[in-house]
Amino acid sequence: MEFEGCSCFRQRLVLSTLSGKRVKIRNIRSKDDNPGLRDFEASFIRLLDKVTNGTRIEINQTGTVLFYQPGLLYGGSVEHECNVQRSVGYYLEALLMLAPFMKTPLRAVLKGVTNDPTDPSVDLLKVTAIPLMKKFGIDGDGLEIKVLKRGMAPEGGGEVLFTCPVRRSVKPVQLTETGKIKRIRGTAFSVRVSPQMANRIVDSARSVLNKFIPDIYIYTDHMKGASSGKSPGFGLTLVAETVNGTFLGAEVVSTPQGQGDPVLPEDLGRNCAKLLLEEIYRGGCVDSTNQSLALLYMTLGQQDVSKTLLGPLSPYTIEFLRHIRDFFQMMFKIEQQKPGEDEQKGGEKVLMTCVGAGYSNISKTIK
């Protein structure tokens, strides 16, 4: 299969690895002053090479053409030094998609930037993606994301442990009722700055959220010494849980040292609270960060109908649906849902329905 350009680079390689189809990507930033693959993309390819067995990768001299022939997903114990241009979340999102289909359970230690303004942070994936995976039958003691050391952009120095059990197949889901919000939890963290910063963030976030719901608890996480990485920074991750077990998350991180305008902890707390309220308004049974993860598991599920109610689709998700069609010949039925008269007005929802492809993990033996 042939593609052009560098957009949706991860999607193509992840789906190629799962479907076993070879991919050739041409004209990667060919008109740029600095053509070819960036360091973080090369680092991502190396990570895929570590978790698979027999993958063939060819890149031309300028790095503008990539040929990728996927091998078998092997898993096992992996340690990877992620490039600091992107956060660990960039690599972790791909591993969440691949990990259940490996031959041996994955135990990955990723080092680098744990929180940055562009990618979903490790904290956000921990509170939203993990409960989502459990709904698809990927659970057990082995499924967890642990922040061993925090590392802020630009220097990094963080360390994250991700472990995931293997499954033979993914079960179909019916996630159509979001339910009412019952509680809000969060983590305010600060590294290499005064521990008071985290408390200031919590106070300002609560000033907005207390009008909405009384059950709010925000942990403060202040890491010292070796476990605080190499750069100063602070941030907040919030997650709202509904009565039906849906988790909607939002986060804001301070601007990296030496880049852009500095942020006050009060503003950061308020902004994050507003982002969470916006995410609740958008609604759906999966928050906007994990839409593509849910759609992938629905595609790979057993041959049965899966339904999921989502908020407005993000541009990234729309591209992802196109790629699923190319790699798996799968089409979703998309129905727009208007909010009812009696309900609180939320954003327009989309009901996604598909019949799973019946993908099974070929290397997992039947017990």
Side-chain angles (χ1 to χ4, degrees), residues 31 172 174:
K31 296 193 172 131
Q174 301 281 334

Coordinates of all heavy atoms in Angstrom, one line a residue, residues 31 172 174:
K31 N 9.5 18.7 0.4 CA 9.7 20.1 0.0 C 10.2 21.0 1.1 O 10.3 22.2 1.0 CB 8.4 20.7 -0.6 CG 7.9 19.9 -1.8 CD 6.8 20.6 -2.6 CE 6.6 19.9 -3.9 NZ 5.2 19.6 -4.2
P172 N -16.9 -7.7 21.6 CA -17.7 -6.5 21.1 C -18.4 -5.7 22.3 O -18.6 -6.3 23.4 CB -18.8 -7.2 20.3 CG -18.9 -8.6 20.7 CD -17.6 -9.0 21.3
Q174 N -21.3 -2.5 23.7 CA -22.4 -1.6 23.4 C -22.3 -0.5 24.4 O -22.8 -0.5 25.5 CB -23.7 -2.4 23.7 CG -23.9 -3.7 22.8 CD -24.4 -3.4 21.4 OE1 -25.0 -2.4 21.2 NE2 -24.0 -4.2 20.5

